[in-house]
Amino acid sequence: MSEGSEETVMEETAMIEVKRGDELGEGYRRGIAEVFVEGFGDDLRYFAEDPAELAAAIDHMLVLERFHVALIDGRPAALASLTEGGQEAVDHDARTLRRHLGLVKGTIANRVFRTHFQGNSVEPEPGRVEIGFVASARRFRGQGAAKAVLNHLLALPEYDEYTLEDIKDTNEPALRLYERVGFHEYKRRRANHSRWSGFEAYVSMKLTQS
Ligand SMILES: CC(C)(COP(=O)(O)OP(=O)(O)OC[C@H]1O[C@@H](n2cnc3c(N)ncnc32)[C@H](O)[C@@H]1OP(=O)(O)O)[C@@H](O)C(=O)NCCC(=O)NCCS
């Protein structure tokens, strides 16, 4: 794989290239947010049922330089964040959330996003990094876009220890994908309310390069 933050992979049917969000620029912010919403919108449906409305509410919070995006035919198809210790991939603004979602839902979103989307768990150490927010757009699933983002991140020369935290134990596509690129489980913690949430545990995975 080439060094640097850009690479092109020829797939059977589509050309996939991976670029960092800030290289793509502000013109891609909404498109990147739409992929984020396709990945995590089900969990966020309480805040806005309409995916376009949700993307408009949350696009400001994506720290573009922390997101790496696979493009298929030039369109954002998959993404993942990469954060070193102390860095955040998401930085929301409470007032913007309230403007889009209204006073009550915006205030709740502010709290929920702070607890669930922030708080990097990686100890700051050279070479150590966390991957998060792995998602692909529905129409591009199964085409290797998410895998291309992960392989791109794993080829970055400055890192050798990668973690993925708190994957639901029922998320077969994600677990399979992470195993395929070389991650293995290193931690598992029981989920609260597993009876109604539909899953038993959160799995954390790690990949260390020699
Ligand atoms: C998980 C997710 C990112 C996979 O994206 P994708 O673009 O379909 O993945 P890819 O096309 O790159 O697939 C690569 C590998 O993933 C696995 N995979 C993908 N979809 C799968 C599915 N439905 N069932 C089982 N394995 C699957 C396969 O092992 C595949 O490897 P292969 O091509 O060697 O067979 C996507 O399903 C998604 O966005 N889910 C919602 C958000 C989410 O749950 N993110 C993970 C949070 S931890």
Side-chain angles (χ1 to χ4, degrees), residues 1 78 134 143-153 177 180-181:
M1 297 233 177
V134 182
Q143 295 185 32
K147 197 178 187 177
V149 178
L150 293 176
N151 281 329
H152 171 81
L153 299 180
L177 167 62
R180 275 278 215 276
V181 297

Side-chain angles (χ1 to χ4, degrees), residues 75-115:
R75 297 161 73 190
L79 52 80
S81 66
L82 190 76
T83 48
E84 298 174 9
Q87 295 179 337
E88 299 288 354
V90 160
D91 184 16
H92 66 267
D93 172 58
R95 277 177 28 191
T96 308
L97 289 178
R98 282 197 289 269
R99 196 173 72 242
H100 284 276
L101 303 175
L103 180 61
V104 173
K105 288 185 177 176
T107 303
I108 296 171
N110 176 38
R111 293 216 188 123
V112 171
F113 290 2
R114 198 178 300 144
T115 335

Side-chain angles (χ1 to χ4, degrees), residues 1 7 9 11 16-18 68-72 77-80 131 134-137 140-155 173-174 176-183 207:
M1 297 233 177
E7 106 198 14
V9 179
E11 294 287 312
I16 302 178
E17 54 176 344
V18 180
H68 297 251
V69 182
L71 304 166
I72 294 186
L79 52 80
I131 295 176
V134 182
S136 58
F140 291 122
R141 285 197 187 152
Q143 295 185 32
K147 197 178 187 177
V149 178
L150 293 176
N151 281 329
H152 171 81
L153 299 180
L154 297 176
R176 185 95 62 87
L177 167 62
Y178 303 151
E179 275 169 18
R180 275 278 215 276
V181 297
F183 281 85
L207 187 158

